[in-house]
Amino acid sequence: MPASVDLPGYLSRIGLPTAPAAPTRGALQALVLHHVQAIPFENLNPFAGLPVSLALDDIQRKLVRENRGGYCYEHNLLFGAVLRRLGFQVEDLSARVLWNRPEDAITPRSHMLLAVLLDEGPCIVDVGFGGQTPTGVLRLQAGIAQDTPHGPFRLEHHAGTWRLQSLVQDTWRTLYRFDLQPAYQADYEVSNYYLSTNPASHFVTNLVAARPIVHGRLALQNRDFTEHRPGGPSIKRRLASTAAIRAVLQDEFGLSLPDTPALDHRLDALP
């Protein structure tokens, strides 16, 4: 039997008192913003050598009930299930990440995003891209800047391929490219296994956490903790001790940490 969505538990986790009355753009925007500000992006499981399950029951246990976060598959599988429960029409998609890579780089389909069909037309939502997660609903329309609570994004389209870009310090930078071919759980399972277990995976070798806040974004990369504020300089701190890293994960990202000695061993060994 397919897993059911714990809608009351999810809404409580993201801080929404009631479910939206109808599957509207406004309701979708509220869900996106509350989700990304409440449930951090983090890779503590693969970093500590723990498995990452994509079963909906396991994702809900981890992200909703255990006060944890996750990466793209966990976030967007959960969010997609919630949207369907609320009456939205949703299509699962996959993307090739280009962030910090050349525009013509050939990368695997290692990222998940969602297409949602609203009355006014199709749009893109993605609650799981870490430090540049779009915090708004983006119309599937090329060549226009679209404001979100955390800065402008835009979509570019050429020969059947879309690119999602964000405006960073007056420069449009590509997050990923994708098409509208549906993706399936089996596709995500293969990529998830590589990302969560392979010694060459960024999520196995590095500690990553990210969360948008009301007036900016928080980011943790190994020992470097950064607060990005719009219109001002970023504030960066180097976390010298394992205790300091744990405190930031708990206090700034709101995470309950996995109870395994392997986590402290990995934190101690960070360069």
Side-chain angles (χ1 to χ4, degrees):
M1 179 180 296
S4 60
V5 175
D6 176 10
L7 189 57
Y10 174 80
L11 294 173
S12 175
R13 174 75 167 99
I14 68 170
L16 273 181
T18 59
T24 64
R25 182 185 177 88
L28 182 57
Q29 173 61 61
L31 287 162
V32 168
L33 186 57
H34 279 75
H35 179 111
V36 297
Q37 292 187 145
I39 308 180
F41 183 96
E42 51 101 337
N43 71 322
L44 291 171
N45 272 38
F47 181 72
L50 301 174
V52 176
S53 171
L54 299 189
L56 183 58
D57 279 342
D58 292 333
I59 295 173
Q60 291 188 106
R61 173 182 48 77
K62 183 182 175 212
L63 274 65
V64 175
R65 294 190 290 276
E66 294 184 351
N67 216 44
R68 288 284 308 281
Y71 55 23
C72 69
Y73 298 126
E74 298 165 284
H75 277 278
N76 283 315
L77 284 169
L78 173 61
F79 196 64
V82 169
L83 294 184
R84 292 181 178 97
R85 173 70 173 78
L86 292 170
F88 288 92
Q89 296 183 54
V90 182
E91 191 78 75
D92 298 337
L93 304 177
S94 62
R96 303 181 186 275
V97 175
L98 292 175
W99 185 250
N100 292 328
R101 294 176 173 89
E103 286 288 320
D104 60 352
I106 304 300
T107 61
R109 290 180 180 266
S110 61
H111 182 65
M112 179 183 182
L113 67 152
L114 302 169
V116 181
L117 182 60
L118 300 173
D119 288 344
E120 57 264 43
C123 64
I124 294 297
V125 295
D126 180 358
V127 295
F129 196 75
Q132 286 299 119
T133 293
T135 59
V137 178
L138 304 174
R139 299 190 304 279
L140 191 64
Q141 182 176 346
I144 59 168
Q146 302 188 49
D147 288 332
T148 76
H150 293 79
F153 286 74
R154 74 179 182 187
L155 289 159
E156 294 293 297
H157 184 256
H158 177 70
T161 298
W162 294 85
R163 290 175 186 256
L164 177 62
Q165 300 179 328
S166 63
L167 188 62
V168 180
Q169 297 179 347
D170 299 322
T171 299
W172 287 105
R173 296 183 57 189
T174 300
L175 279 65
Y176 48 74
R177 66 173 179 264
F178 66 97
D179 57 35
L180 301 181
Q181 177 182 344
Y184 302 96
Q185 183 87 14
D187 301 316
Y188 302 142
E189 293 284 357
V190 172
S191 184
N192 177 64
Y193 182 75
Y194 172 88
L195 292 173
S196 64
T197 64
N198 193 291
S201 167
H202 174 73
F203 294 119
V204 173
T205 58
N206 294 276
L207 174 65
V208 181
R211 182 169 74 91
I213 55 176
V214 175
H215 298 298
R217 294 180 184 267
L218 306 178
L220 179 65
Q221 175 78 18
N222 293 327
R223 294 186 181 275
D224 294 323
F225 174 55
T226 307
E227 300 177 63
H228 299 286
R229 302 290 180 175
S234 297
I235 302 170
K236 181 176 286 189
R237 277 197 288 141
R238 180 76 172 169
L239 305 177
S241 67
T242 292
I245 300 172
R246 291 180 67 95
V248 162
L249 289 168
Q250 292 169 319
D251 299 339
E252 302 293 344
F253 293 95
L255 291 168
S256 297
L257 304 185
D259 184 17
T260 171
L263 177 59
D264 280 352
H265 293 330
R266 292 300 312 276
L267 295 177
D268 288 342
L270 283 174

